[in-house]
Amino acid sequence: MTTPKAIYFFILIIILGTVSCNNQKDHPSENDTFLNQIDSLYDSVEQLKEKKLIDMALSKNNTALQLAKSKNVPEIYQNLLRQRIVLLGRKRPLDSTFHYSDILLNDYTRAKDTANIAYIKYLKGFYFKKDNQIDSAIGNYYQAVQLYKHLNDSLNVAKRSLDLVKILNDKANYQVAEKTAIDGLKYLNKKTANKLYINLKNHLAIISKNKGQYKEALYWYNRALSIAKDSLSVISIKNNMAVVYLKQEHYTKAFNALSSIVYDTLLRNPKNITLNARVIDNWAFAKSKLGHIDAEKYLLEALELRKQKNVPENLNASYIHLAEHYADKNNRMAFKMAQKAYETAKTYQNVDDQLLALSMIIATSETPRQYALKYHRLSDSLHKAREQANISYAKIIYDTERNRNENALLKSNAQLNALEISKVKTRNIALGLILIIVIGAVIWRYHLIKNKHQREKELATYETERLISKRVHDEVANDVFHTLTSLQNEPKVSPVLEQLENQLDKLYHKTRDISKEYGDIDTGTNFAVGLKDMLASYHSEHANVIIRNIDTIPWRRLNHSKKVAIYRCVQELMVNMKKHSQATLVALMFESDPNLLTVKYSDNGIGLDPSITSRAGGLKNVENRIEAANGTVTFANSPTQGLVIIIEIPI
């Protein structure tokens, strides 16, 4: 974090010797005395810092600062300020840290010292992150990266890029994090910066895993593994690969990979207790999924190891694995462990981990409604926070680019000149491009007409449903209502009339529900809200409905007809569940990649009759709608109990 002391003072002695050569006759030992005092104070502060006596260290540092200020030697004063910033970074609040950082930044800006400006930007980013001021941390990290690029300082570009990648990944800004990591790798030579090279590749794998792109994650882990030299790095990477296998539900592959490292003697070193606990926990979880009877023993062993370090994030991982282990065995301990996971996740304010723990609580609680409501509120707030974070990052980039220095502007002008030259060359191939455009236009026209017919067909279906809904409401429901009202006003002379009144009342509610069920659908900006509300309406004391990731889908990229198809199909599935499945737990998982939207429906009901090979009623409607949207639908009974339906529609 600071310039190596010995090198710094060696350079400083030379500078001071040059500055004071004219005064040497009058004061032959003054500079030597000054340097000895500063050196002694600096060493004393460092020793106190190592002993964690921060207040005493700050006091001595202040003495050194006053001495340096009285001698008017900026270089020494600035180095002591850097030492002070690091000391203040050990205390809370961090206001003084930011105050002295700004003083240094102003000094370096006046001196046009780009290298030290970049360093202070990094330092501010580090402490803003520590203070949970994430937007400010991202802004300073980004500016540090750009300054080091300007200096052609490859190693620091990669280091600061890694800092930026970590914080962007934590904020779920995966696209920018991935781009930043790949950009950082371009500045590295894997032979001269092996550990940093591995870290960037490892984070690329983590990003891919968080995005659900497991093949991509394994690709980056294999790349990192191919250049890893030390045994601990190899163990860590293999453990991470096994985590991906667990995500893919390849439990045997995960177990075999972890079995090759879990007994490594390096893990028994007390210094490696964190990694040891992680490996044992993942290994035991794989054993649990494979039905090994000793899985619980090792899951608890990993938990006890983690309690020694008492890091909430790691404890949370153990509690989640234990909750799932007990849930698979219908053990009430599952609920208790899920609650512990939720409480630990709250201590480090990780909303994703809180949501995961809540989903386990909902699945294992006898009274899940209150947790389901909490889950929905938390999920909505997370979605809004991440949208705001992405907007903030875009603004940071814009402000940084807008305030480029004059050299960057001149470089941009040179690029514009090069663009003008390239335009001259482009004219020479214009005729060839025109031919390509004409062919492309013909192909485009063909697909446009084809898609137009498809849209017209879908719109006609939707309009028919809407008109039927309106007629059911305006004609049937209203007539039933008037008849019912008339009957209610008449005296009940027999039980038959009273029974008829009840039947008419039920009929009225049925027609009204049908009208509502097939009425207009808002496919605009509130589509996700409407879809979520519709699904939530099927949540009852008899059936618990869990909805995952609905707010992460880029709904704006889907056209009107595909949104209608998704809405109606999911609605058909919920109606089918309510009428036939006898399910008490229903889960809908929404996922997307750049080209495909996937909706996975599962319940714990009676499933499909395997003797019936063709669909009928609502499920047939689902097949027809998805086929019309150029998608696919797969029906299957769960290996344990219930029904699994996977819908895929191209985006």
Side-chain angles (χ1 to χ4, degrees):
M1 297 272 305
T2 58
T3 304
K5 181 171 65 67
I7 296 174
Y8 176 83
F9 282 109
F10 176 74
I11 295 171
L12 209 53
I13 289 169
I14 296 173
I15 294 171
L16 289 173
T18 303
V19 171
S20 62
C21 62
N22 293 329
N23 300 324
Q24 209 165 21
K25 293 180 180 178
D26 297 329
H27 305 285
S29 61
E30 184 178 351
N31 288 327
D32 289 338
T33 302
F34 166 69
L35 287 173
N36 287 336
Q37 283 181 288
I38 291 292
D39 193 29
S40 175
L41 286 167
Y42 191 99
D43 285 340
S44 179
V45 170
E46 289 298 300
Q47 290 169 11
L48 290 168
K49 183 177 73 174
E50 290 298 318
K51 295 177 182 178
K52 300 182 180 180
L53 301 172
I54 305 302
D55 288 331
M56 292 176 64
L58 283 167
S59 178
K60 282 191 176 293
N61 171 267
N62 186 59
T63 302
L65 278 170
Q66 296 307 315
L67 182 60
K69 191 174 184 179
S70 68
K71 294 295 183 180
N72 194 26
V73 185
E75 293 85 359
I76 291 179
Y77 186 79
Q78 288 165 357
N79 192 61
L80 290 168
L81 273 182
R82 286 164 77 148
Q83 185 186 52
R84 189 168 190 81
I85 290 167
V86 175
L87 290 169
L88 289 167
R90 303 281 185 92
K91 297 171 67 68
R92 292 297 180 107
L94 296 175
D95 295 358
S96 296
T97 304
F98 301 131
H99 170 71
Y100 287 107
S101 296
D102 287 336
I103 291 174
L104 263 182
L105 185 60
N106 290 334
D107 287 347
Y108 291 139
T109 301
R110 282 193 296 269
K112 297 181 179 179
D113 186 347
T114 306
N116 277 318
I117 292 172
Y119 175 77
I120 296 301
K121 287 289 184 182
Y122 151 70
L123 206 61
K124 288 185 71 175
F126 176 85
Y127 287 115
F128 274 126
K129 182 182 179 183
K130 187 175 182 179
D131 202 42
N132 205 33
Q133 298 186 49
I134 303 304
D135 284 351
S136 297
I138 290 173
N140 281 277
Y141 278 149
Y142 179 80
Q143 291 171 45
V145 169
Q146 301 310 308
L147 288 166
Y148 282 125
K149 285 182 179 179
H150 179 72
L151 293 167
N152 292 320
D153 186 343
S154 300
L155 188 60
N156 272 315
V157 169
K159 285 181 177 179
R160 303 296 72 92
S161 293
L162 180 59
D163 295 326
L164 191 54
V165 166
K166 290 177 180 177
I167 199 169
L168 288 169
N169 191 31
D170 288 341
K171 298 300 289 183
N173 196 339
Y174 301 129
Q175 185 176 357
V176 179
E178 188 174 53
K179 182 180 180 299
T180 304
I182 292 172
D183 194 38
L185 283 171
K186 295 175 183 176
Y187 285 83
L188 277 180
N189 182 328
K190 62 183 179 182
K191 293 181 180 178
T192 57
N194 183 267
K195 191 168 184 179
L196 188 54
Y197 201 85
I198 291 172
N199 279 338
L200 281 168
K201 287 186 178 293
N202 192 59
H203 275 83
L204 278 167
I206 292 170
I207 292 165
S208 297
K209 181 186 70 177
N210 289 343
K211 290 165 65 178
Q213 298 173 349
Y214 299 127
K215 289 183 180 179
E216 187 76 1
L218 291 172
Y219 166 80
W220 288 113
Y221 279 136
N222 277 310
R223 290 284 298 274
L225 191 62
S226 68
I227 59 173
K229 293 180 179 178
D230 67 284
S231 299
L232 277 179
S233 293
V234 171
I235 291 172
S236 181
I237 295 168
K238 286 185 176 180
N239 173 75
N240 292 343
M241 292 176 74
V243 171
V244 176
Y245 296 144
L246 291 172
K247 294 281 186 183
Q248 293 176 306
E249 299 183 356
H250 296 165
Y251 300 123
T252 301
K253 188 178 284 189
F255 175 74
N256 292 337
L258 291 162
S259 294
S260 69
I261 58 175
V262 71
Y263 298 108
D264 197 302
T265 54
L266 278 173
L267 294 175
R268 304 299 173 264
N269 189 323
K271 293 181 180 179
N272 303 325
I273 187 172
T274 300
L275 180 58
N276 186 31
R278 190 181 306 135
V279 171
I280 292 174
D281 185 51
N282 290 326
W283 179 63
F285 185 68
K287 289 170 75 69
S288 172
K289 289 296 181 181
L290 293 171
H292 293 194
I293 59 174
D294 59 349
E296 181 181 0
K297 169 189 171 184
Y298 292 107
L299 286 168
L300 293 172
E301 179 181 334
L303 176 61
E304 290 305 313
L305 287 171
R306 283 170 163 167
K307 284 181 178 179
Q308 294 179 35
K309 289 288 185 180
N310 198 32
V311 178
E313 292 90 331
N314 297 335
L315 289 171
N316 174 269
S318 273
Y319 290 135
I320 285 292
H321 278 173
L322 280 162
E324 191 161 346
H325 168 76
Y326 290 126
D328 288 346
K329 301 180 180 304
N330 295 318
N331 190 319
R332 285 297 302 158
M333 283 293 290
F335 178 71
K336 180 180 178 181
M337 290 299 168
Q339 283 186 310
K340 287 192 173 187
Y342 178 60
E343 293 303 323
T344 55
K346 287 199 295 185
T347 63
Y348 58 92
Q349 299 178 342
N350 186 300
V351 180
D352 284 313
D353 287 352
Q354 290 178 52
L355 288 172
L356 179 59
L358 278 172
S359 67
M360 290 297 300
I361 291 174
I362 292 167
T364 56
S365 172
E366 293 180 353
T367 56
R369 179 174 175 78
Q370 58 175 316
Y371 301 108
L373 292 172
K374 188 178 294 185
Y375 180 97
H376 290 310
R377 287 196 297 269
L378 197 59
S379 179
D380 287 344
S381 65
L382 175 64
H383 178 63
K384 292 175 183 176
R386 284 181 172 165
E387 278 190 341
Q388 186 58 47
N390 291 340
I391 294 169
S392 298
Y393 184 80
K395 185 177 183 300
I396 288 165
I397 303 300
Y398 172 78
D399 290 342
T400 301
E401 296 302 319
R402 186 184 61 181
N403 296 318
R404 281 181 177 179
N405 59 34
E406 187 177 354
N407 289 336
L409 183 60
L410 290 173
K411 182 178 179 182
S412 177
N413 289 336
Q415 290 173 340
L416 288 173
N417 291 334
L419 182 61
E420 290 297 323
I421 294 170
S422 70
K423 286 181 179 179
V424 176
K425 296 179 180 179
T426 302
R427 293 190 190 103
N428 296 329
I429 58 171
L431 292 175
L433 288 176
I434 290 171
L435 180 61
I436 294 171
I437 291 169
V438 170
I439 295 171
V442 172
I443 296 172
W444 172 79
R445 180 65 178 171
Y446 166 77
H447 285 291
L448 182 66
I449 294 171
K450 181 181 178 182
N451 290 336
K452 181 182 178 183
H453 289 318
Q454 181 65 35
R455 285 195 302 272
E456 288 174 350
K457 180 180 177 182
E458 291 168 353
L459 287 172
T461 302
Y462 177 70
E463 183 64 16
T464 300
E465 290 179 346
R466 192 186 69 79
L467 290 173
I468 291 172
S469 169
K470 189 174 186 303
R471 291 194 65 187
V472 167
H473 179 273
D474 293 346
E475 298 176 20
V476 181
N478 286 344
D479 288 347
V480 171
F481 180 78
H482 289 311
T483 304
L484 177 63
T485 303
S486 300
L487 185 61
Q488 287 174 337
N489 293 330
E490 294 293 326
K492 307 301 183 295
V493 296
S494 73
V496 174
L497 286 176
E498 187 174 349
Q499 185 179 1
L500 179 59
E501 180 183 333
N502 292 334
Q503 289 174 344
L504 280 171
D505 183 67
K506 290 179 181 178
L507 180 59
Y508 168 71
H509 282 91
K510 282 184 180 180
T511 54
R512 190 184 61 180
D513 288 344
I514 291 170
S515 173
K516 183 179 177 181
E517 190 171 304
Y518 290 96
D520 288 341
I521 299 170
D522 184 355
T523 58
T525 56
N526 293 321
F527 176 73
V529 175
L531 180 58
K532 195 189 304 180
D533 288 344
M534 181 274 288
L535 291 171
S537 70
Y538 288 90
H539 190 96
S540 67
E541 61 181 2
H542 303 296
N544 182 26
V545 180
I546 299 174
I547 310 164
R548 296 292 302 275
N549 301 334
I550 194 171
D551 290 320
T552 66
I553 304 302
W555 294 111
R556 63 183 181 279
R557 292 181 56 200
L558 270 72
N559 61 32
H560 170 82
S561 58
K562 288 186 177 180
K563 287 180 182 176
V564 170
I566 287 292
Y567 189 101
R568 290 299 187 212
C569 287
V570 172
Q571 189 178 45
E572 290 278 13
L573 295 179
M574 299 307 292
V575 170
N576 185 74
M577 174 276 295
K578 190 173 182 180
K579 288 182 177 179
H580 308 297
S581 75
Q582 301 176 26
T584 59
L585 182 63
V586 182
L588 286 107
M589 175 75 74
F590 292 79
E591 296 175 346
S592 69
D593 62 31
N595 301 312
L596 192 69
L597 166 65
T598 302
V599 181
K600 182 177 180 181
Y601 166 96
S602 60
D603 66 36
N604 64 348
I606 60 175
L608 297 173
D609 187 342
S611 64
I612 300 176
T613 57
S614 61
R615 310 286 170 234
L619 297 183
K620 183 61 179 177
N621 290 340
V622 170
E623 285 185 322
N624 293 339
R625 289 182 187 276
I626 297 304
E627 183 180 348
N630 296 322
T632 61
V633 58
T634 306
F635 298 85
N637 284 327
S638 169
T640 53
Q641 182 185 5
L643 176 63
V644 175
I645 301 175
I646 299 174
I647 296 172
E648 294 181 333
I649 289 183
I651 295 177

